[in-house]
Amino acid sequence: MVNRPIGYWVKRLDAALETHLDSTLARLRLSRRQWRVLNMLSSGPVTPVELADVLRPFTPANGGAAQQKDMAALVRRELVFLLDGRLTLTDAGWALHTEASRMVEASRRELTAGIGVDEYAMAVSVLERMTNNAERLALH
């Protein structure tokens, strides 16, 4: 398995992470997109355009409708509301974010077991540089 290219490992890791995160968040009746919204809003209110821009890398080309459906569900559950043109968390949204954060952090600790801080930082750094290179090359 050592001879597999990095793309193989990246895709396999991405699929495993998504499956694990889906399972973790399902206990709270949250989708990954909904978690990303709550997590983004935990840093402070944002406009819908700012939120869409941050979430764009996580939204498939045809995922706009799904994103709107997820936002509508968060509003219906009274977790998020719009005030003066900015989305913000309600008290219930903050409470759910806190609970979800604990679960996601515990999951991250399990997923990185046996990986040192320096190893993790190096892996992220390498993937970031490769991504930047690939995106730059894709433009040419």
Side-chain angles (χ1 to χ4, degrees):
M1 298 277 267
V2 173
N3 294 328
R4 306 262 187 193
I6 195 164
Y8 169 86
W9 293 111
V10 168
K11 287 180 182 275
R12 191 166 155 192
L13 174 61
D14 182 58
L17 289 172
E18 294 296 329
T19 298
H20 182 68
L21 189 56
D22 281 343
S23 173
T24 298
L25 294 171
R27 293 180 234 155
L28 299 175
R29 294 180 25 237
L30 285 174
S31 71
R32 288 184 316 271
R33 283 186 300 269
Q34 290 170 333
W35 159 247
R36 287 181 182 115
V37 169
L38 294 181
N39 202 41
M40 171 72 180
L41 295 180
S42 72
S43 296
V46 298
T47 67
V49 170
E50 291 168 333
L51 181 66
D53 188 49
V54 170
L55 297 177
R56 188 165 290 110
F58 303 105
T59 305
N62 60 354
Q67 185 70 41
Q68 289 177 348
K69 182 180 172 186
D70 282 334
M71 280 302 301
L74 291 174
V75 171
R76 265 194 317 280
R77 289 178 65 186
E78 298 182 353
L79 302 171
V80 173
F81 69 102
L82 189 65
L83 178 66
D84 297 327
R86 298 177 80 75
L87 295 161
T88 191
L89 293 175
T90 65
D91 289 342
W94 278 106
L96 187 60
H97 175 264
T98 299
E99 187 176 356
S101 291
R102 281 192 218 113
M103 292 172 71
V104 168
E105 283 305 314
S107 174
R108 285 181 181 152
R109 282 191 302 276
E110 292 172 353
L111 289 167
T112 57
I115 300 170
V117 173
D118 291 342
E119 288 176 295
Y120 183 85
M122 177 64 77
V124 170
S125 175
V126 168
L127 290 172
E128 179 183 14
R129 284 179 277 153
M130 287 183 75
T131 300
N132 290 337
N133 290 342
E135 289 174 346
R136 180 179 44 78
L137 293 169
L139 295 175
H140 290 77

